[in-house]
Amino acid sequence: MLNSKFEALCRCPGRKLLLLAASLLAACAAPLPAQKPVELSIFSINDFHGNIQPKLPTPLMPRLPDAQTGEIKAQAAGGVAHLATALEKLRSQRVNSVFVAAGDLIGASPQMSSMLKDEPTLAAIGELGLVASALGNHELDSGLAELLRKARGECPPEGCAWAGFKGPGFPYLAANLLDAQTGMPLLPTHVIKQVGPFKVAFVGVVTRDTPRVVVPKAILGLRFADEVDTLNAMLPQLRAEGAQVLVAMMHEGAMYDGAANDSGYSCPGLQGRGVDIAQRLDPAYAIIISGHTHQAYTCKINGRLMVQAGSYGGWLTESRLTLDAQGQVLDAQAVNHPVLQSIYAPNPAFVALVQSAAALTAAARTKPVALLTQGAQRNPKAPFGDSHLGNLVADSQLAYARKRGGADIALMNPGGIRADLTVEPGQMVTMSDLFAIQPFGNELVALTLNGAQLQQLLQRQLPRTDVAPRLLQVSNSLSYQWRSGVDGAGQLLEVLVDGKPLDLARDYRIIVNNFMADGGDGFSMLRQGRDRQSLGVDVDAFVELLQENPGAVSQAQPGRIRKL
């Protein structure tokens, strides 16, 4: 077109030449048509923990309106076969979409997955088309070498547990997981994918608190840098590689008591490390996909989305970003879709995968343990700091130890209790039920502390502010009271051991799991324990108590820890 106009200019004399020149200049100066904004949907999950087929009832039963009656009630959700259908249906409605995760896809898994080394879970999630996942702390439960084996799709000398296992097909990202000696990253830091017209960088970090929540032997030689410092330091490299949209995926999050979807995204009461991270993170990151705290929320912090999809595949987060031609966020919205089994029919291919895993593990999972008349909940209810199930687990460990050399007290970290004890009338509790409660296979360790050290340990666990505490669960031989001071810090009051006041000078034999014995959850005092002795596996103690004394369930009622 321009060539023909130039030819016309050359043939036209005088005034016509001037008019044509003016016309051409005006055409060149006219603005280009404005490019339409582009919408990008980021689907995400977190903390799946190998729940390819969750046991019901579980916390995955959100209270929502019934599709038929409108009645508000708990509804079954989750399961990889239902998740596959939900993801396929929702993605089909979007032009530009991508699927990512924020860690702990495996680890602390039910027997159906853990007995097969979580290989069926990784294979299934890979089939869902996951682009990448941030590394979670539980992915390191068996050590980095084992995770790398799985990530590469390699089999140990004895062969893979899952026939045909070829790896997950997606990378784990951990920019802040460093070699303690060299300071170099040990896993990929990020991936850049073309999503619609944009190059999108997905950058992953694992919680820097991993050393507090993973057994030390599993993370020897590893260093965990600050999440924000690491993410911010990545910016020059990401820009140099042409990334236009930056997505932070972190296995760290916040605590929230509100609804899974906040229509105004203000999320009043949102608190925790995730909030601090969001406030410090460079605004160049368009969105934060979070995990670790097993919460479902859609929130904005300083105008930027931070989302989380609960846990176990019961929710699927969709974050919708409206972007201009340069990749700047014009609008951001998010919704947590409940993966309701009544709404999303199971995908047949994934049903077959779950059935195969179930068949391979059936003998161990379905082994009967005891016929119980009542279950037990793991969450304490005010004014008590002990829960029914926490007491029962601690009682099992004390009874187990007293038959193997003697003990005074058993203490159990609440984070090690992963599910409620549910009982169906007339049906035996099975190994699968108990393994879901204690899935780590921790060793029980007997050690000696004096009364002053035990007092210091109990004081150390009390909250330093007015936040809700997560107190060590105690055996029936220990009870105490505490209160909040004027500054909100907890104050330890009367402590009784077998009904007698704690003797600060006396030695006490304490039973804990190996995670706690090595200082896990910040209980470094337990490292000072003397005369250590390994006694056996924690779940074996639980089995033994229920088989020999089913009535122990009714004897473990809360009330051992009371806040005044």
Side-chain angles (χ1 to χ4, degrees):
M1 181 68 179
L2 284 177
N3 286 340
S4 63
K5 287 192 175 184
F6 275 119
E7 290 171 1
L9 277 173
C10 294
R11 292 194 300 266
C12 293
R15 189 165 60 86
K16 289 185 177 181
L17 181 61
L18 293 174
L19 289 173
L20 282 171
S23 174
L24 180 60
L25 290 172
C28 293
L32 294 173
Q35 290 187 321
K36 292 183 179 180
V38 176
E39 189 175 88
L40 170 64
S41 285
I42 303 173
F43 292 92
S44 59
I45 61 170
N46 54 274
D47 298 279
F48 189 74
H49 289 291
N51 280 264
I52 51 178
Q53 182 58 46
K55 180 181 180 297
L56 300 175
T58 75
L60 302 188
M61 300 181 70
R63 296 184 61 81
L64 296 166
D66 182 85
Q68 302 298 325
T69 66
E71 177 189 0
I72 302 295
K73 64 178 185 180
Q75 300 181 52
V80 72
H82 300 276
L83 177 63
T85 300
L87 182 62
E88 181 181 21
K89 181 177 181 179
L90 293 169
R91 291 192 72 174
S92 70
Q93 301 169 11
R94 305 291 177 242
V95 176
N96 304 308
S97 71
V98 66
F99 178 42
V100 297
D104 274 6
L105 300 177
I106 60 173
S109 306
Q111 281 182 304
M112 190 182 295
S113 182
S114 65
M115 288 184 64
L116 302 173
K117 300 181 181 179
D118 281 319
E119 291 170 4
T121 293
L122 291 174
I125 294 179
E127 288 296 321
L128 292 176
L130 194 77
V131 164
S133 175
L135 178 71
N137 54 282
H138 281 293
E139 264 99 11
L140 295 173
D141 281 346
S142 298
L144 180 61
E146 173 65 2
L147 176 65
L148 291 174
R149 176 193 73 78
K150 295 171 184 174
R152 292 190 291 256
E154 298 173 350
C155 293
E158 66 273 17
C160 282
W162 184 248
F165 180 65
K166 297 179 181 179
F170 62 85
Y172 275 106
L173 309 178
N176 65 329
L177 174 65
L178 309 176
D179 184 294
Q181 291 186 335
T182 67
M184 299 299 294
L186 292 167
L187 287 174
T189 59
H190 67 287
V191 295
I192 296 179
K193 297 291 183 178
Q194 188 75 36
V195 185
F198 299 111
K199 288 187 175 180
V200 183
F202 300 93
V203 191
V205 289
V206 63
T207 175
R208 73 179 187 193
D209 289 340
T210 297
R212 295 182 61 248
V213 292
V214 174
V215 290
K217 66 179 181 181
I219 54 174
L220 287 174
L222 307 183
R223 180 163 70 85
F224 298 83
D226 181 81
E227 304 94 338
V228 179
D229 292 346
T230 301
L231 288 166
N232 289 346
M234 289 287 298
L235 290 177
Q237 180 181 353
L238 300 174
R239 293 306 192 197
E241 294 179 11
Q244 298 163 282
V245 182
L246 310 184
V247 177
M249 306 190 310
M250 65 179 190
H251 191 69
E252 184 56 89
M255 302 302 296
Y256 183 51
D257 291 332
N261 293 295
D262 186 317
S263 59
Y265 303 108
S266 60
C267 299
L270 187 76
Q271 60 182 321
R273 289 202 62 238
V275 176
D276 174 65
I277 290 172
Q279 291 171 339
R280 294 168 51 211
L281 187 64
D282 193 286
Y285 285 94
I287 184 174
I288 303 170
I289 311 292
S290 69
H292 190 49
T293 53
H294 291 213
Q295 307 284 293
Y297 53 72
T298 54
C299 307
K300 287 186 179 179
I301 300 174
N302 297 332
R304 175 172 49 195
L305 274 176
M306 183 171 78
V307 300
Q308 190 175 157
S311 60
Y312 306 150
W315 299 91
L316 174 63
T317 304
E318 180 184 6
S319 303
R320 299 175 67 181
L321 305 180
T322 302
L323 308 168
D324 67 15
Q326 287 71 47
Q328 296 299 307
V329 177
L330 301 175
D331 185 42
Q333 302 178 26
V335 59
N336 272 315
H337 299 281
V339 185
L340 297 179
Q341 296 180 1
S342 61
I343 300 297
Y344 300 108
N347 179 295
F350 289 87
V351 169
L353 181 148
V354 172
Q355 290 175 341
S356 179
L360 289 171
T361 59
R365 288 187 301 103
T366 60
K367 183 178 180 181
V369 174
L371 184 64
L372 304 179
T373 58
Q374 68 178 119
Q377 303 294 307
R378 59 178 169 154
N379 292 325
K381 296 181 179 179
F384 305 125
D386 56 324
S387 71
H388 190 179
L389 183 54
N391 290 346
L392 184 61
V393 170
D395 287 349
S396 74
Q397 296 175 359
L398 180 64
Y400 191 83
R402 282 180 169 173
K403 292 171 63 175
R404 292 163 176 79
D408 298 298
I409 297 164
L411 303 172
M412 178 64 193
N413 59 311
I417 303 174
R418 309 295 292 193
D420 295 330
L421 174 61
T422 58
V423 172
E424 297 183 28
Q427 294 193 21
M428 298 282 282
V429 169
T430 67
M431 278 301 303
S432 180
D433 298 324
L434 303 189
F435 192 85
I437 295 169
Q438 293 185 277
F440 297 108
N442 285 329
E443 284 282 322
L444 293 179
V445 178
L447 52 84
T448 299
L449 297 176
N450 61 39
Q453 290 173 312
L454 179 57
Q455 182 184 58
Q456 183 179 346
L457 175 67
L458 295 177
Q459 177 63 53
R460 169 71 177 78
Q461 66 170 341
L462 297 180
R464 293 173 177 80
T465 63
D466 59 356
V467 300
R470 298 187 73 205
L471 303 177
L472 292 173
Q473 303 296 279
V474 301
S475 59
N476 53 31
S477 56
L478 177 68
S479 64
Y480 67 88
Q481 298 176 341
W482 68 284
R483 66 184 177 194
S484 292
V486 293
D487 59 353
Q491 298 176 350
L492 187 65
L493 302 176
E494 182 182 43
V495 181
L496 301 178
V497 179
D498 287 325
K500 299 178 182 179
L502 180 68
D503 185 343
L504 300 184
R506 178 193 156 184
D507 282 346
Y508 293 92
R509 198 71 171 152
I510 313 295
I511 308 302
V512 295
N513 58 46
N514 61 292
F515 168 69
M516 293 175 59
D518 290 335
D521 273 350
F523 294 109
S524 57
M525 173 60 67
L526 290 170
R527 293 177 184 165
Q528 301 177 22
R530 295 171 276 122
D531 305 321
R532 293 180 174 233
Q533 178 186 3
S534 291
L535 301 178
V537 180
D538 54 6
V539 73
D540 290 344
F542 203 15
V543 170
E544 186 172 280
L545 178 70
L546 296 182
Q547 287 180 333
E548 296 180 358
N549 182 20
V553 180
S554 62
Q555 299 163 11
Q557 297 296 330
R560 300 169 188 178
I561 304 173
R562 181 185 292 268
K563 181 181 180 182
L564 300 182

